[in-house]
Amino acid sequence: MTLNVQSVRLEKELADLAIISAIPAPAVERIVFSEHDLHARAWLKQLCADAGLDVREDAVGNTFIRWQGTSPELPAIATGSHIDAIPHSGRFDGTVGVLGGLEAIRALKESGFRPKRSIELIHFTSEEPTRFGIGCLGSRLMSGALDPACDTTFRDNEGRTLREVRTSAGFTGDLSSTRLPVGHYAGFVELHIEQGPLLEKRGVPIGIVTAIAAPASLRILVEGEGGHAGAVLMPTRHDAFLAAAEIALALEAAARSTGAIDSVATTGVCEVFPGLVNSVPSRAKLEADIRDIDGSRRDGMIASLETACAEVAARRGVRVTIEVVNRDAPATCDPAIVETAAEVCRANDIPCDLMVSRAYHDSLFMARICPTSMIFIPCRNGVSHRPDEYSSPDAIATGTRVLAETLARLAS
Ligand code: GLV
Ligand code: MN
Ligand code: MN
């Protein structure tokens, strides 16, 4: 297939999107339904309209950009990713899958190829958990993994419900309407930067994903006793922060002790109340992220954490409450899609490796409703979720080409 992936056009679009951000370059921040997210959405829809594609949005803002096939009654083949970005992140996470997906469709169109099945590019709402505390909001709803009642139970930091926020962003309708049945799509392939160092280290330009790790996220509230930093004597203290610190260290120990390199745990949030230099902390809130390729080993880390919380609570005379925000199963990718992508690589003399994804993606939930896999490209030093995240124009163009040909084969 003679495909002309226009790398210069794609790079310019990635650069244009990167500056639609709440913070100055090279850092990026685009929180779902913020002014910048809405600006980026409008910009993306215009690009898609310019490419002659139809655009539909659902009640939570998932956006479906369709290139009609010659047999539009058949389930479509889909690709896509996200454009929301966590604070202080970079410009490639998610955006490569959305803009690379668009470029793949444009390159196929411009080559004269006509798909039998329609090809859809999906821009998923809030893959990142920043605003509502849970990742993959759009794809969870789409796959039925999340109760639509979250519309009124999920609140952002300002106390606004998901319903209030999405309605003021222009997305109305019942959240239950976002659900898509199994079989709605014939397949889904997501292009993404690896967010890890393996491809770069091995000098391999393409990774094809066979499984996605099982993520869990927990909120841990520690309630102790506050007081005067000078007057409360050490033997009588019930310092909530010190208990929280022990819990965070216990979680690290739980992840290190499984013996598996795939076990990871992070305490990324610690809020201390009242947060004053001369006041003993009376409350601390932790947020922890725990992942493994093996779901039962991940659950083992959660169990160790629960034991540590009980032990610390008893010893330090504090109260510890654990809320499980999500505890997702790992996903297995579809062998036929993996093989199709591998065939595309072989046909183009592009080396590729099969690998697992340690990051989560909307593919984790798409895998529940259709055959799914992902195409990874290297990123410099494996860095992601940082402003210095970088993937070269060549790496992105190669990934886009493999994506385009994989979509073409799946849609034929
Ligand atoms: C996605 O951003 C993740 O945290 O894996
Ligand atoms: Mn991310
Ligand atoms: Mn991502």
Side-chain angles (χ1 to χ4, degrees):
M1 173 174 281
T2 319
L3 264 191
N4 182 17
V5 167
Q6 292 198 33
S7 180
V8 173
R9 168 168 71 183
L10 178 51
E11 286 302 314
K12 174 169 186 326
E13 289 166 355
L14 284 163
D16 288 348
L17 178 53
I19 54 172
I20 307 177
S21 163
I23 52 178
V28 180
E29 172 183 318
R30 251 186 328 270
I31 296 177
V32 68
F33 301 139
S34 65
E35 170 199 340
H36 298 93
D37 179 56
L38 296 180
H39 179 174
R41 285 167 179 268
W43 172 87
L44 175 66
K45 283 190 286 181
Q46 187 58 51
L47 280 188
C48 296
D50 293 346
L53 303 167
D54 300 327
V55 177
R56 168 179 91 80
E57 290 166 320
D58 73 10
V60 78
N62 289 317
T63 308
F64 304 84
I65 296 138
R66 189 173 172 94
W67 180 22
Q68 189 93 294
T70 54
S71 299
E73 71 288 357
L74 292 177
I77 293 296
T79 185
S81 198
H82 61 100
I83 61 170
D84 65 325
I86 65 170
H88 310 292
S89 61
R91 63 155 75 167
F92 300 97
D93 176 6
T95 55
V96 163
V98 174
L99 294 174
L102 175 60
E103 180 57 28
I105 291 176
R106 286 186 304 214
L108 286 169
K109 270 186 129 189
E110 288 162 10
S111 76
F113 172 79
R114 286 291 164 266
K116 184 170 167 211
R117 294 178 186 276
S118 300
I119 296 181
E120 276 191 19
L121 170 66
I122 309 176
H123 154 229
F124 294 94
T125 286
S126 195
E127 191 266 355
E128 301 290 7
T130 318
R131 186 155 194 171
F132 293 104
I134 191 165
C136 300
L137 183 61
S139 52
R140 276 180 201 274
L141 284 163
M142 211 184 274
S143 64
L146 185 60
D147 186 343
C150 68
D151 209 15
T152 49
T153 58
F154 283 2
R155 288 181 185 273
D156 67 8
N157 274 345
E158 289 165 13
R160 299 178 73 204
T161 63
L162 171 57
R163 180 181 288 170
E164 284 163 1
V165 176
R166 73 181 173 94
T167 304
S168 48
F171 301 107
T172 54
D174 198 312
L175 273 197
S176 56
S177 65
T178 58
R179 182 157 184 185
L180 296 179
V182 172
H184 179 84
Y185 288 116
F188 178 75
V189 195
E190 178 172 1
L191 173 66
H192 207 284
I193 59 169
E194 183 200 339
Q195 303 182 287
L198 300 181
L199 291 173
E200 185 185 57
K201 263 193 195 144
R202 296 175 190 153
V204 174
I206 294 290
I208 304 173
V209 173
T210 54
I212 304 173
S217 143
L218 276 64
R219 290 193 190 109
I220 302 158
L221 179 67
V222 183
E223 294 164 290
E225 205 173 301
H228 195 285
V232 182
L233 299 179
M234 297 312 280
T236 61
R237 289 197 182 194
H238 303 282
D239 183 319
F241 167 68
L242 293 179
E246 281 203 56
I247 290 168
L249 289 171
L251 178 58
E252 184 200 25
R256 285 185 185 273
S257 67
T258 66
I261 195 72
D262 296 321
S263 303
V264 287
T266 309
T267 304
V269 173
C270 177
E271 284 168 15
V272 177
F273 183 84
L276 300 166
V277 69
N278 59 349
S279 190
V280 178
S282 59
R283 244 184 5 246
K285 191 184 96 178
L286 300 178
E287 291 186 26
D289 175 307
I290 308 173
R291 312 187 193 199
D292 203 303
I293 272 302
D294 181 325
S296 56
R297 206 163 47 211
R298 187 273 322 271
D299 287 344
M301 289 188 273
I302 296 177
S304 302
L305 176 69
E306 286 165 343
T307 306
C309 285
E311 190 276 319
V312 169
R315 182 163 42 77
R316 285 188 172 269
V318 298
R319 210 161 79 94
V320 181
T321 324
I322 304 177
E323 179 197 349
V324 177
V325 179
N326 61 286
R327 187 177 184 139
D328 304 308
T332 305
C333 294
D334 181 65
I337 297 193
V338 169
E339 181 48 28
T340 303
E343 271 171 22
V344 167
C345 290
R346 282 195 293 273
N348 287 282
D349 286 324
I350 299 171
C352 68
D353 272 357
L354 300 188
M355 61 196 305
V356 298
S357 171
R358 292 190 168 76
Y360 62 70
H361 302 279
D362 293 302
S363 289
L364 183 67
F365 295 96
M366 290 307 279
R368 297 186 182 195
I369 55 168
C370 66
T372 293
S373 180
M374 300 186 69
I375 295 167
F376 275 0
I377 57 169
C379 53
R380 188 174 59 199
N381 299 327
V383 162
S384 185
H385 283 185
R386 278 173 29 184
D388 54 340
E389 182 177 84
Y390 177 77
S391 197
S392 72
D394 267 5
I396 295 170
T398 303
T400 302
R401 180 179 184 86
V402 172
L403 174 67
E405 291 200 30
T406 304
L407 292 174
R409 287 183 190 222
L410 296 173
S412 292

